Amino acid sequence: MILALDLGGTKHTVAVHQPGEAGWRAHERVFSPPGADAQYDLETVVALGRKLTKRQPISAIGVSFGGPVDYISGTVHLSHHVPGWEGIALGSRLEDTFGVPAVVDKDTNAAALGEYRFGAGRGTSSMLFVTISTGVGGGWILDGRLWRGAGRLAGEIGHTVVEPEGPMCLCGKRGCTERLASGPFMAEDLRAGLEATGLDIPGPLTGQRVAEMAAGGHTMARLILERGARALGIAVGNAVNLINPERVILGGGVTKSGELWWQEVRQAARQTALPQIGLEIVPAALTDDAPLWGAVALVLEKDD
Ligand SMILES: [Zn+2]
């Protein structure tokens, strides 16, 4: 049996899976209180893991982590949301605690593997997974294996530049896909646009709110949502020209922005990709448990 951990920003999930079965033998989700640090989060998931594996002996641990990780050593570079994770040897800590091998990877790689094994990527041998939520990230499956890249930085489609003269991204470059297509940046752009034109700002703005306003006929919200969708479509089209995957799978909160968003993404990708290239863009099949299934898939991939 496999112990699967999903360490996110504000919530963590711990589950036990028996390969070959459809669901979970045990499954628990906890929310981190505000101000929680790495030590607190690690103790919380270890305690949960101990509880869930008391009567179910495990042979391996898979971990999806919300931030960059050195896949080989299992050491965390940093968390995007929680302080104190820098340099923590998460893999070996878990191995010492539970006495079984552990494999740790970043959540986008885990989710890509999860979709490939258990979700919308089943039946393919090559696919690109992209998640569009607070950030934009991705993972590649090539010839049935996760492609991590020479420096294990593959899949950073969020920093594909689509508007070289565009607004500044967190990474220091201009016009990155993430800068235009992620939920918080679309909300920021709408706020700035409304302020600049002296229009009312209707309450707290989020990516979801931008999509709702666009669907309700708000012109500026619609333009910003379309711009983000187009940026993503261009990035996907370019990536498809380069690697020619069988399928592209899109997941994350922003993909729930409605038909307008999907149309714009597909159209921009089609216009960017070579006319003769096959282009299949579909929604992710795994929902909140995608990283957890990915954690299971990380263990299975290692055994292959
Ligand atoms: Zn960037």
Side-chain angles (χ1 to χ4, degrees), residues 148-162:
R148 294 184 169 88
R152 295 186 281 284
L153 282 169
E156 291 292 345
I157 192 169
H159 302 284
T160 301
V161 174
V162 290

Side-chain angles (χ1 to χ4, degrees), residues 158-159 169-173 176 178:
H159 302 284
C169 177
L170 289 174
C171 74
K173 293 185 289 139
C176 289
E178 176 168 300

